[in-house]
Amino acid sequence: MASLQDIALSAFINILSAFAFFVAFAILRLQPFNDRVYFPKWHLKGIRSSPRLSGNSVTKFINLDWRTYLRFLSWMPAALRMPEPELIDHAGLDSAAYIRIYLLGLKIFVPLTILAFGVLIPVNWTGDTLEHLDVEFSDIDKFSISNIAKESKRLWTHLVMAYVFTFWIYYALYKEYKIITTMRLHFLASENRRADQFTVLVRNVPPDPDESVSEHVEHFFSVNHQDHYLTHQVVYNANNLAKLVDRRKSLQNWLVYYENKKTRNPEKRPITKTGFLGLWGKTVDAIDYYTAEIEKLSKEEATERERLVSDPKAIMPTAFVSFRTRWGAAVCAQTQQSSNPTLWLTEWAPEPRDVYWSNLAIPFVEQTMRRLMMAVAFFLLTFFFMIPIAFVQSLANIEGIEKVAPFLKPIIEKEVASSFIKGFLSGIVLKIFLIFLPTILMTMSKIEGYGSVSALERRSAAKYYLFILVNVFLANVIAGAAFEQLDTFVNKETPNKYPVIVGTAIPAKATFFITYIMLDGWAGVASEIVRLKPLIIYHLKNAFLVKTEQDREQAMDPGSLDFASSEPRIQLYFLLGLVYSVVTPIFLPFIVVFFSLSYVVFRHQIINVYDQEYESGAAFWPDVHRRLIIAMIISQLTLMGLMSTKDPKHATPVLIALPILTIWFHKYCKSRFEPAFVKFPLQEAVVKDTLERAKDPNLNLRSYLQDAYVHPVFHSKDIERLVAIDEEENNPLVPTKRNSNRSTPGGSKYGSEAGSEIE
């Protein structure tokens, strides 16, 4: 159990680490040869040019102005200087809303910290209960509710503050939800024309014996949306072609590498081996080998393209359907299209860069089975992961190390080593175990078959949050605290005192989470700004693959906000802060430091570095709000359980109202704000359509949308398209190739030529 000295040592190590990261960043970002690593967003916008294009041979690479190094923290005020409307224009609403999660944390926890230190800390510190209980405790625990005697009148302070904290959080959450909703509606109203505003994704198109998928889609929407349907693009199962394209790009990189190598040493032809990564196999001329392999793959690509456009089985029962107006698209996306609710499933199409193409080829029934399988797999992963975490965590303490390695006993029992193990090691172990988890969960979400990157990230974030809730919070608080008091449980107390011991031990687990926050939330956040991995990869590419300035630009990796892993991590800090705000208020300053540091660091990264893959208009905010509500309910139930061991006569009746009020508050916010995130108001659609017709009466929308939803591996000339219905056609009959005209207003005028296509 960590003491104040252990916490102090951990704080010193993590503060020193964070400062080292900031100093390293200050030096690295000033060097001209790193400009594309630390300011890639400005390069992509064409606003910033490389410093290497000017200056002498030395200053092209190294900054010799010593005065710039004195202002090594000048990036912090610069990150806060950009106003929010400008930030939205610069980086998008998703990025601005993400930053507001950290701001919301400050709005919640700064007032809670002030109140807790003014009221709860003095009340807890002046108690003396722990000194009369036969349990292990540290100086930190004297600041917690564990130091208050059973049925003491002091407990009413905690009950009252629980209500004060709760109502302040309600106010902060409501105001923030309202602000984000207003920002979203304003963003959508002022947004420039985008293809997804006119387009709907249609899934589970039913088979028709007389018409192809493309003809069937055109026929259905021409009948049911005849005044608004414009065009469509069917989805091809181009996954094999995408693999060939990726393989060819990989070989092209190797070819460029060996050509550059030959340029540096013209007298010697580079050689390679034909095995894996050139490590074994037949020795061949590298340039000739990769040139031949690329030509071979190019032929395979051409063959696969021809097969796709000529094979009806390559077309999936999925299509992107575009409409003449936003109003028409909104009506289609938000209504049921068929009497059978499992057919003609419509939803707003993701924007083109948000589409996850490989999953669109998954049939609807298979997708349902995949999600069931992944739900079972996630359940097993979540609960079986407890075993290695619990085992390794048991070793990450002095007693565990002494059992496994008794020869280390003289070393680890020294004061400094003991403080390091108690205040630092357990946090490192937990962080190591969580390193590969986001990748595993994202893979599971991809297997489930979600059709957009944003949906994949939101689904993966939901899994990650549930995982850390069970394995990081519940497993450590409940199981960990109980194990620490196991000897007391078994040997020293009668069974009727077990609830008291558990209630006392749970707040004591706060010391573990304090060390974890300092490691992950202080040093971990500071390390984000150094961008060590992108820095190394960029210079490797720059050394071996870059020939021109265009190549150098392509070598940049600005990255983006990793919502799937970063948002659940933020939610863990919200959860810990809410749980321990009344129980162990000394916890709160560590949370405030995390949110403050993260707000500055990630605002800087959004302004200068990250280039978002997509823009959803802050569609993730209902998930953020929902998880905060879950954290509130957990904190309230935890407090109820703890107070029942202290003052069962008064605590339970008083606190039972809190989770009920929280659920009611969530339902109110859900009905008040969430529709703005799942539906697009028809009134707004009409306004935007009217303004667009007035500003651009000659807009050729068909041409604008023609290639918007073509699979990236295709060229526009590779995809055949159906002849669209004439906009001025007054004939009410809709053409079809069916033998029966059932569900069609009249006979087909096209006959056998109805499905003719053009390239």
Side-chain angles (χ1 to χ4, degrees):
M1 188 176 295
S3 64
L4 276 176
Q5 181 179 350
D6 304 331
I7 297 296
L9 178 62
S10 179
F12 174 77
I13 293 173
N14 286 289
I15 291 173
L16 188 64
S17 300
F19 184 77
F21 284 128
F22 288 148
V23 171
F25 168 69
I27 296 173
L28 291 171
R29 78 185 183 96
L30 294 174
Q31 310 311 314
F33 61 88
N34 289 330
D35 203 66
R36 292 183 183 272
V37 177
Y38 294 109
F39 301 97
K41 191 158 196 160
W42 299 103
H43 284 276
L44 292 174
K45 287 178 174 287
I47 298 175
R48 190 181 182 102
S49 60
S50 176
R52 295 179 61 178
L53 298 178
S54 60
N56 58 46
S57 57
V58 177
T59 56
K60 283 183 178 181
F61 297 94
I62 300 175
N63 185 352
L64 299 179
D65 185 358
W66 60 270
R67 289 169 295 184
T68 58
Y69 294 97
L70 299 179
R71 303 187 300 271
F72 72 97
L73 291 179
S74 62
W75 60 271
M76 287 188 172
L80 302 175
R81 202 170 294 133
M82 181 179 286
E84 191 168 66
E86 186 179 341
L87 179 64
I88 295 173
D89 291 338
H90 175 69
L93 182 58
D94 279 345
S95 298
Y98 177 84
I99 284 297
R100 291 194 70 92
I101 302 177
Y102 296 111
L103 186 60
L104 176 61
L106 292 174
K107 289 180 179 179
I108 290 175
F109 289 112
V110 169
L112 262 59
T113 302
I114 295 172
L115 287 173
F117 270 69
V119 179
L120 292 177
I121 290 290
V123 171
N124 293 339
W125 179 254
T126 53
D128 58 356
T129 301
L130 289 175
E131 296 178 0
H132 298 90
L133 285 177
D134 191 14
V135 295
E136 297 180 28
F137 69 93
S138 68
D139 293 336
I140 292 288
D141 299 322
K142 292 182 180 180
F143 293 102
S144 75
I145 198 174
S146 301
N147 206 29
I148 304 298
K150 184 178 180 181
E151 297 185 357
S152 169
K153 292 183 179 180
R154 292 169 179 250
L155 293 172
W156 280 102
T157 306
H158 299 81
L159 297 179
V160 172
M161 294 306 293
Y163 272 88
V164 172
F165 287 2
T166 297
F167 283 108
W168 170 253
I169 296 168
Y170 288 163
Y171 173 78
L173 289 180
Y174 179 85
K175 292 290 290 184
E176 196 64 26
Y177 213 155
K178 185 176 182 180
I179 290 171
I180 296 294
T181 302
T182 303
M183 291 169 60
R184 173 178 169 83
L185 293 175
H186 181 267
F187 178 80
L188 295 177
S190 60
E191 192 177 26
N192 294 329
R193 184 192 313 120
R194 291 196 331 191
D196 55 295
Q197 297 170 352
F198 301 88
T199 306
V200 170
L201 176 61
V202 182
R203 290 180 176 270
N204 214 25
V205 176
D208 189 280
D210 301 311
E211 294 180 323
S212 67
V213 172
S214 184
E215 293 163 346
H216 195 23
V217 169
E218 180 185 23
H219 174 225
F220 180 87
F221 285 95
S222 297
V223 169
N224 297 289
H225 298 268
Q226 56 183 325
D227 295 330
H228 302 282
Y229 166 73
L230 178 62
T231 186
H232 71 275
Q233 175 61 59
V234 294
V235 174
Y236 290 81
N237 186 355
N239 291 348
N240 288 336
L241 178 58
K243 292 177 183 177
L244 291 173
V245 171
D246 290 340
R247 172 64 177 158
R248 178 175 55 80
K249 289 180 179 178
S250 175
L251 294 178
Q252 187 68 43
N253 285 338
W254 280 108
L255 178 60
V256 171
Y257 165 72
Y258 283 113
E259 287 178 341
N260 287 348
K261 193 173 181 180
K262 183 177 182 298
T263 302
R264 296 187 186 100
N265 188 4
E267 298 179 358
K268 184 178 180 181
R269 296 279 295 184
I271 59 174
T272 188
K273 295 182 179 180
T274 57
F276 178 72
L277 293 179
L279 298 177
W280 57 74
K282 183 181 177 182
T283 301
V284 295
D285 182 282
I287 295 177
D288 293 341
Y289 171 73
Y290 283 107
T291 301
E293 288 295 308
I294 290 171
E295 290 178 358
K296 179 181 176 181
L297 275 178
S298 298
K299 292 178 181 178
E300 292 181 21
E301 283 183 39
T303 303
E304 180 66 12
R305 280 196 175 91
E306 292 176 4
R307 185 192 69 80
L308 287 176
V309 298
S310 60
D311 183 6
K313 294 182 180 179
I315 300 177
M316 304 305 298
T318 305
F320 291 98
V321 179
S322 298
F323 295 81
R324 304 180 196 279
T325 62
R326 296 173 180 83
W327 186 92
V331 169
C332 181
Q334 297 166 185
T335 55
Q336 184 173 313
Q337 303 302 308
S338 169
S339 57
N340 186 341
T342 65
L343 300 177
W344 298 102
L345 304 177
T346 58
E347 60 184 86
W348 279 107
E351 64 165 314
R353 58 183 178 160
D354 188 21
V355 177
Y356 192 74
W357 290 96
S358 59
N359 278 357
L360 295 182
I362 300 174
F364 179 76
V365 176
E366 180 184 335
Q367 188 180 71
T368 304
M369 296 302 298
R370 283 172 173 235
R371 292 179 183 178
L372 177 61
M373 292 171 59
M374 287 301 102
V376 174
F378 177 67
F379 175 83
L380 297 175
L381 174 68
T382 300
F383 287 95
F384 280 101
F385 213 82
M386 286 184 182
I387 299 173
I389 285 183
F391 174 72
V392 177
Q393 285 280 43
S394 69
L395 299 180
N397 57 65
I398 292 177
E399 293 78 9
I401 295 174
E402 287 179 349
K403 289 179 181 179
V404 176
F407 59 88
L408 293 177
K409 186 175 180 179
I411 299 175
I412 62 179
E413 288 188 349
K414 290 183 178 180
E415 189 173 348
V416 175
S418 174
S419 296
F420 175 81
I421 293 170
K422 291 179 179 179
F424 199 72
L425 185 60
S426 57
I428 291 178
V429 170
L430 181 59
K431 188 167 178 61
I432 290 173
F433 263 86
L434 296 178
I435 286 177
F436 300 105
L437 184 64
T439 303
I440 296 172
L441 298 180
M442 178 58 75
T443 302
M444 294 175 69
S445 297
K446 290 178 179 179
I447 293 174
E448 287 179 316
Y450 291 94
S452 65
V453 177
S454 57
L456 287 172
E457 291 200 338
R458 288 198 294 270
R459 185 61 182 172
S460 183
K463 291 187 181 75
Y464 195 17
Y465 177 73
L466 183 58
F467 183 93
I468 61 177
L469 175 63
V470 173
N471 280 294
V472 177
F473 178 71
L474 294 179
N476 278 284
V477 169
I478 297 175
F483 279 127
E484 285 185 7
Q485 303 294 337
L486 188 59
D487 181 63
T488 307
F489 265 70
V490 175
N491 299 318
K492 299 182 181 180
E493 295 291 353
T494 57
N496 63 341
K497 290 192 176 182
Y498 285 178
V500 178
I501 296 171
V502 173
T504 306
I506 289 177
K509 200 62 181 174
T511 55
F512 164 75
F513 286 115
I514 288 174
T515 61
Y516 179 75
I517 288 172
M518 289 189 291
L519 174 67
D520 183 66
W522 295 8
V525 169
S527 67
E528 167 66 25
I529 205 164
V530 178
R531 307 195 74 225
L532 185 60
K533 180 180 175 181
L535 176 68
I536 294 172
I537 292 176
Y538 171 76
H539 285 297
L540 287 175
K541 288 182 176 180
N542 197 36
F544 299 112
L545 300 178
V546 169
K547 287 183 177 179
T548 64
E549 281 298 314
Q550 184 178 0
D551 294 336
R552 187 168 287 109
E553 182 172 324
Q554 292 175 352
M556 285 191 306
D557 178 22
S560 60
L561 289 171
D562 188 5
F563 182 83
S565 61
S566 58
E567 192 270 344
R569 187 176 70 169
I570 303 171
Q571 292 290 349
L572 174 63
Y573 295 121
F574 273 112
L575 174 63
L576 295 175
L578 295 176
V579 166
Y580 286 105
S581 58
V582 176
V583 175
T584 310
I586 194 68
F587 195 95
L588 292 174
F590 298 92
I591 294 287
V592 170
V593 171
F594 162 74
F595 280 110
S596 302
L597 189 61
S598 298
Y599 180 74
V600 176
V601 167
F602 283 99
R603 210 173 197 273
H604 172 275
Q605 298 296 81
I606 284 172
I607 292 172
N608 297 293
V609 180
Y610 297 146
D611 184 44
Q612 282 301 96
E613 297 180 23
Y614 59 85
E615 176 59 60
S616 70
F620 56 81
W621 195 262
D623 295 329
V624 174
H625 181 84
R626 188 181 307 110
R627 288 193 265 272
L628 283 168
I629 293 296
I630 293 172
M632 288 188 68
I633 294 174
I634 291 174
S635 68
Q636 290 158 1
L637 294 177
T638 302
L639 183 61
M640 285 176 60
L642 179 58
M643 294 296 286
S644 67
T645 68
K646 294 284 189 180
D647 192 2
K649 293 181 180 179
H650 302 100
T652 302
V654 171
L655 293 176
I656 191 65
L658 283 180
I660 297 174
L661 284 173
T662 302
I663 293 172
W664 175 85
F665 171 75
H666 172 60
K667 289 187 174 181
Y668 173 75
C669 289
K670 182 181 176 71
S671 62
R672 172 69 177 84
F673 300 116
E674 192 167 317
F677 293 84
V678 296
K679 298 178 181 178
F680 186 64
L682 296 181
Q683 181 183 21
E684 294 292 334
V686 171
V687 170
K688 287 187 72 71
D689 289 333
T690 303
L691 288 174
E692 188 166 73
R693 282 194 296 269
K695 292 180 179 179
D696 194 358
N698 298 319
L699 171 66
N700 186 345
L701 191 59
R702 186 189 303 277
S703 176
Y704 175 76
L705 297 172
Q706 184 176 13
D707 294 329
Y709 287 97
V710 174
H711 197 295
V713 298
F714 286 110
H715 304 295
S716 59
K717 62 183 177 62
D718 294 324
I719 300 297
E720 298 179 344
R721 308 181 191 283
L722 290 173
V723 176
I725 298 174
D726 189 352
E727 298 180 15
E728 305 299 327
E729 179 62 61
N730 294 320
N731 190 341
L733 305 182
V734 176
T736 180
K737 294 184 78 172
R738 287 180 175 158
N739 294 325
S740 167
N741 289 328
R742 179 171 54 86
S743 76
T744 306
S748 171
K749 71 175 183 178
Y750 284 91
S752 61
E753 301 297 324
S756 61
E757 298 178 340
I758 59 173
E759 293 190 347

